[in-house]
Amino acid sequence: MDFTIRDKQGNSAVIRDLGGELKSFRTGGHEYIWQGDGSHWGESSPFLFPIASNVRQDTIYIEGKPYHLAQHGFARKLLWDVIKESEESVTLRLTDTPETLTAYPFRFAMDACYTIADGVLTLEITVRNRDTRPMPYCLGTHPGFGVPFDGSDSRFEDYSVVFEKEEENSCPLYDGAKREINIENRTSFLEPDNRTIRLDYGVIDRAGTIIFDKMDSSSVDLVDNRTGRKLTLGFEGFDYIAFWTDGGAFLCMEPWQGLSSCSDEDDNFLSKRGVQVLEPGEEGRHILRFSVR
């Protein structure tokens, strides 16, 4: 089931109960979220929980026991409950089930509150430990944006990603054979300003995913250099960001808290980069903001 929220200016967003997924963000008469298709990528903006990306052999060890967790976890494949709904906001919730407990042995609640106002869409994600012992988790977001933008005659190569601040121009590469990030094998993707990635499908395709494992910015812009139109993705509560595309039909800009298994880590959940640990009753908070100008 889909839920539509609108602000007073007529800007809108559509959220689906399957996966709690953002399916549309329309502002200024244009759609910005990738609508999915069978030839490239069928999703739009899934949640990655309780892991972001993958763990080796799809197995993670928690309290010394192995648990099977497929790539990106299970949150994107489950139905979420609607907790609150108004004209401008909707909140959905995912909680543990007997099935999730076999893969991730913790009682949890994860809320996704979407609010749109004055053309800005805010997504506030709250993860709560409902268990009686400390709960580790990772969280990834995976919003995909149509490139070129709706209504633009530009090409994929006419776009750039621009970080809010200068970043370290050194990104670790993913080793597909070992299904891990090789922390020592690094390359550069930024322009000399240390803020700009000029989109090139061939470069991203060869890298698989561009991963920034050190980040100072709290926002990135996706810019159509021919027209100047700019989509800004702001984020709080995330230490990393990844960029991915398939065929150059869209660009995913993915703030993550946690990474794929890394070459210098073992398979213990608590060893993972970016893992968060909540005490019983404690909450973790993560925020995305979408805007266009």
Side-chain angles (χ1 to χ4, degrees), residues 34-203:
W34 168 249
Q35 296 299 290
D37 68 20
S39 60
H40 293 100
W41 180 52
E43 297 178 276
S44 297
S45 184
F47 286 113
L48 319 181
F49 177 88
I51 57 171
S53 192
N54 71 281
V55 290
R56 283 181 288 262
Q57 287 81 50
D58 291 336
T59 301
I60 194 75
Y61 285 81
I62 300 171
E63 298 172 340
K65 297 180 181 180
Y67 291 87
H68 178 80
L69 272 173
Q71 184 170 359
H72 295 330
F74 49 71
R76 63 195 175 119
K77 299 179 180 179
L78 300 177
L79 284 173
W80 294 44
D81 297 320
V82 178
I83 303 303
K84 296 180 183 178
E85 185 181 4
S86 68
E87 185 175 350
E88 294 187 351
S89 182
V90 63
T91 301
L92 297 92
R93 176 174 296 166
L94 180 68
T95 55
D96 55 275
T97 68
E99 290 74 22
T100 67
L101 289 168
T102 66
Y104 177 66
F106 298 97
R107 299 185 65 240
F108 71 90
M110 180 175 169
D111 287 5
C113 177
Y114 294 88
T115 303
I116 192 165
D118 299 323
V120 178
L121 176 64
T122 301
L123 166 56
E124 183 171 343
I125 307 157
T126 304
V127 180
R128 184 168 72 255
N129 180 1
R130 303 199 309 154
D131 217 300
T132 58
R133 65 201 197 280
M135 184 184 86
Y137 77 94
C138 296
L139 172 69
T141 57
H142 202 304
F145 305 96
V147 178
F149 291 149
D150 185 19
S152 173
D153 294 328
S154 299
R155 304 168 303 135
F156 188 83
E157 292 76 16
D158 293 323
Y159 285 72
S160 297
V161 170
V162 182
F163 283 87
E164 174 195 20
K165 300 177 181 179
E166 290 188 20
E167 300 293 345
E168 183 173 317
N169 196 358
S170 174
C171 298
L173 297 179
Y174 185 80
D175 184 331
K178 293 184 177 180
R179 299 194 71 215
E180 67 180 22
I181 296 171
N182 187 336
I183 291 298
E184 301 302 322
N185 185 18
R186 309 179 75 92
T187 191
S188 301
F189 292 98
L190 294 173
E191 296 291 300
D193 65 357
N194 291 326
R195 292 182 59 205
T196 302
I197 304 172
R198 291 198 172 272
L199 295 194
D200 182 323
Y201 171 67
V203 170

Side-chain angles (χ1 to χ4, degrees), residues 11-54:
N11 306 298
S12 66
V14 176
I15 299 92
R16 185 162 293 170
D17 59 358
L18 179 60
E21 186 177 13
L22 176 65
K23 301 301 294 185
S24 171
F25 171 49
R26 295 187 62 86
T27 180
H30 296 291
E31 176 65 71
Y32 287 91
I33 296 296
W34 168 249
Q35 296 299 290
D37 68 20
S39 60
H40 293 100
W41 180 52
E43 297 178 276
S44 297
S45 184
F47 286 113
L48 319 181
F49 177 88
I51 57 171
S53 192
N54 71 281

